[in-house]
């Protein structure tokens, strides 16, 4: 059974930084595409960043480009999201997701990901 567990969320002042982690267990496929998504109250879930394990291709939403960095440590089965220059509009529950890379995972659409974590709250007070 595939499990994803996020950690690292919290409350931080605008301009600050946080690093989210997501540990993956039970995943037995030879390749993996990992994504970070977020959902603010009353809003739809949106893709933030994605990475491919074989080669490290990365994709970002325009809203976080240049501020967020996704990385993958295959040895630790962990994907990270380094978030810098945080803004109040970054406030949301952040979810990590995984898939076998068979679809359009790079388009940052939640429908392309099969496995999901429970989420971790990030709050940036205005």
């Amino acid at each position: 059974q595939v499990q994803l567990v996020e950690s690292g969320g919290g409350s931080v002042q605008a301009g600050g930084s946080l690093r989210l982690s997501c540990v993956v267990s039970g995943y037995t496929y030879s390749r993996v595409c990992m994504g970070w998504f977020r959902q603010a109250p009353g809003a739809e879930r949106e893709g933030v960043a994605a990475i491919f394990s074989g080669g490290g291709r990365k994709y970002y939403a325009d809203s976080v480009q240049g501020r967020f960095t996704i990385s993958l440590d295959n040895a630790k089965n962990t994907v990270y999201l380094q978030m810098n220059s945080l803004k109040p509009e970054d406030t949301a529950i952040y979810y990590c997701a995984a898939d076998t890379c068979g679809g359009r995972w790079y388009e940052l659409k939640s429908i392309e990901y099969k496995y999901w974590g429970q989420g971790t709250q990030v709050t940036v007070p205005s």
Side-chain angles (χ1 to χ4, degrees):
Q1 182 178 359
V2 178
Q3 290 189 324
L4 286 71
V5 180
E6 303 98 333
S7 62
S11 181
V12 62
Q13 291 183 343
S17 299
L18 281 174
R19 188 177 81 156
L20 305 182
S21 301
C22 173
V23 178
V24 184
S25 61
Y27 190 94
T28 59
Y29 300 99
S30 60
R31 62 180 186 179
V32 63
C33 292
M34 299 293 303
W36 283 99
F37 293 77
R38 65 186 182 185
Q39 188 166 18
E44 294 185 356
R45 189 170 298 187
E46 66 169 338
V48 174
I51 187 169
F52 174 51
S53 63
R57 281 182 292 161
K58 303 177 183 180
Y59 298 87
Y60 296 96
D62 289 343
S63 58
V64 305
Q65 181 74 46
R67 299 189 298 123
F68 291 11
T69 302
I70 188 171
S71 60
L72 180 63
D73 187 332
N74 288 312
K76 296 182 178 180
N77 296 325
T78 302
V79 61
Y80 302 96
L81 185 68
Q82 177 67 43
M83 305 185 295
N84 298 328
S85 302
L86 282 162
K87 305 175 182 180
E89 51 263 43
D90 295 318
T91 295
I93 298 174
Y94 283 71
Y95 301 88
C96 70
D99 198 80
T100 57
C101 314
R104 297 181 178 181
W105 59 273
Y106 47 88
E107 294 184 352
L108 299 177
K109 295 180 179 179
S110 58
I111 194 173
E112 299 292 344
Y113 291 78
K114 181 176 181 179
Y115 305 104
W116 290 84
Q118 294 300 308
T120 184
Q121 177 71 47
V122 171
T123 302
V124 187
S126 57

